[in-house]
Amino acid sequence: MNLFVKDDNRSKIDNLIPGMTYDIGMATVMNGNLSELVTIQQTLKPKPVQIVIPYESYSTSVILFVQTPDGGVFDGIHVLIEGGPNLTMPLKHDNKITVANLTPGTEYNFSVSAISGTKFSNAYHVPAVKTCLEAPSNIHEGKVTDSSIEILWNRAGGNFQHYEITCINSAAAFMVQKVVQEAATFWNLEPATMYTFSVRTEKEGFKDSAPDIKEIQTAPSAVEFLNHSRNSSAIAVSWPSPRSLLDGFIISISSESLMKEEMLPSTKRTFTFDSLSPGTDFSISVITTKGPKRSHPTVLTVSTYPDPPSDLLIFGQEENTIYLSWKLPQGGFEKFQVSYHMTSKKEKLFKVVAYGNKVKVKNLTPGVDYMFHVKTVRGKDYSVSVMKKVTTRSPLSGDHTTTTNVVVRNNITSINEWIEMQ
């Protein structure tokens, strides 16, 4: 295209294509001769996009549908983001562009222009667009009991006002909490029951985030109490039926030198620990189980009775003094209680405490029958008694002493008599 301008320093070129880049050369003409050509390059302003529609919103991105200009050419689309980064991108065949790296739960204003080279069209201002709220993540259980569940999760990104946590139990009853921290506890739940929890973020004027779902089971109810019976080598434990469904029991016993655990079916209500050490403190625990959950332990602290001493002997005797000895029992003990009385006066009982395996009993009446009882003492527990009947030496006869040995074990009494010649 050639244009001639006479006696003027400017010219208007019409009917050009918007957004097109043109090379424009200028020269002076005199007597039909052209001067050296001076060339400039100029890109025209492209026509504006016709309409921009928010097509789809996510938590960190928005997809915009852009209707191309009704004429001309352009290189791409430029998006000016109020309060955010600006970007330029080519327009795909589906006329959609994605604006990424946005903040969840935020309202944005977009100005969209066509661009050719460095020229921008007039901007199309898009009505306010809101990004979606980001859902919380990593929902997991905190402290769980037979009647409560604590829910924990990671903080959601972006902007939001609070979390909404919904609990649905097996009876389809809804329980809802709205909290600002990343934790919530639901109370008054049924033991050994599976509950479904959904956690989402909320903000006024914004659509709720997608819920994150988690199933958590309450623990089974614990055994309410433990009954027991005991002797010097065994402890029998029994308990009532728990209030909830369960798979079984874990019963354990421990002491300073023992640790033992047993798995029991749900129908079992008693258990006996045998072959235990006498005079020993034990801790017995019973835990109920349901699936992966366990109840808190119900604990009983109990001791086996101490064993009685054995081989009770008279190893010395004077006119009014008796010397006793015995073999120390197995297991734990603190001391020994020696009690005695005249066989003719059973109501008058004398007691002596010994911390070893020997004792000297003085101030006895010569020529009198005495019954001696020796038992092991540990705390408030006593063993059964070992007994020996002794006749003290008479100051006149002095020729013999008669003894009778009586041992009480498990309600069986054995009596041995002999005469010691002097």
Side-chain angles (χ1 to χ4, degrees), residues 292-411:
K293 290 294 190 297
R294 297 183 177 188
S295 70
H296 67 78
T298 302
V299 179
L300 171 69
T301 300
V302 62
S303 304
T304 48
Y305 285 112
D307 261 356
S310 58
D311 299 338
L312 181 58
L313 298 173
I314 304 296
F315 71 91
Q317 184 175 11
E318 298 171 2
E319 191 173 286
N320 60 353
T321 302
I322 292 291
Y323 296 89
L324 297 173
S325 70
W326 53 86
K327 186 177 180 181
L328 297 177
Q330 293 184 346
F333 63 89
E334 294 177 4
K335 56 189 176 182
F336 300 92
Q337 179 182 285
V338 181
S339 58
Y340 58 96
H341 61 83
M342 296 180 184
T343 56
S344 60
K345 298 179 180 180
K346 293 183 180 181
E347 72 281 356
K348 181 95 172 171
L349 191 66
F350 302 91
K351 293 182 180 179
V352 177
V353 173
Y355 291 90
N357 66 333
K358 297 178 182 180
V359 71
K360 175 182 179 181
V361 182
K362 301 185 295 182
N363 301 321
L364 301 177
T365 302
V368 174
D369 292 334
Y370 284 90
M371 180 65 75
F372 287 86
H373 304 253
V374 181
K375 60 177 64 175
T376 309
V377 181
R378 184 177 184 272
K380 295 182 179 181
D381 290 339
Y382 293 81
S383 72
V384 295
S385 296
V386 176
M387 295 179 286
K388 182 178 287 290
K389 184 179 179 182
V390 180
T391 303
T392 54
R393 181 180 296 171
S394 172
L396 297 178
S397 59
D399 55 349
H400 70 274
T401 299
T402 301
T403 65
T404 303
N405 188 50
V406 182
V407 181
V408 178
R409 289 182 183 272
N410 299 326
N411 298 323

Side-chain angles (χ1 to χ4, degrees), residues 31 94 116 120 127 131 163 181 236 243 266 328 352 355 386 414:
N31 299 322
D94 60 1
S116 285
F120 295 91
T131 52
Y163 301 100
Q181 72 278 6
R243 295 183 294 109
S266 60
L328 297 177
V352 177
Y355 291 90
V386 176
S414 61

Side-chain angles (χ1 to χ4, degrees), residues 58-106:
Y58 300 94
S59 59
T60 59
S61 65
V62 171
I63 298 177
L64 301 177
F65 176 83
V66 180
Q67 182 65 50
T68 58
D70 59 0
V73 294
F74 61 94
D75 296 330
I77 300 297
H78 179 79
V79 181
L80 175 66
I81 305 172
E82 182 181 336
N86 303 328
L87 66 150
T88 300
M89 66 191 73
L91 187 63
K92 299 179 181 178
H93 295 298
D94 60 1
N95 286 17
K96 295 175 185 176
I97 60 174
T98 299
V99 183
N101 300 318
L102 303 179
T103 301
T106 303

Side-chain angles (χ1 to χ4, degrees), residues 255-312:
S255 67
E256 291 184 355
S257 60
L258 173 69
M259 179 62 197
K260 184 178 181 182
E261 185 176 277
E262 296 284 345
M263 303 290 294
L264 304 179
S266 60
T267 54
K268 194 80 170 177
R269 294 290 182 273
T270 62
F271 191 81
T272 300
F273 292 99
D274 296 309
S275 303
L276 302 179
S277 177
T280 303
D281 295 327
F282 293 95
S283 178
I284 297 176
S285 168
V286 176
I287 296 173
T288 60
T289 65
K290 177 64 177 176
K293 290 294 190 297
R294 297 183 177 188
S295 70
H296 67 78
T298 302
V299 179
L300 171 69
T301 300
V302 62
S303 304
T304 48
Y305 285 112
D307 261 356
S310 58
D311 299 338
L312 181 58

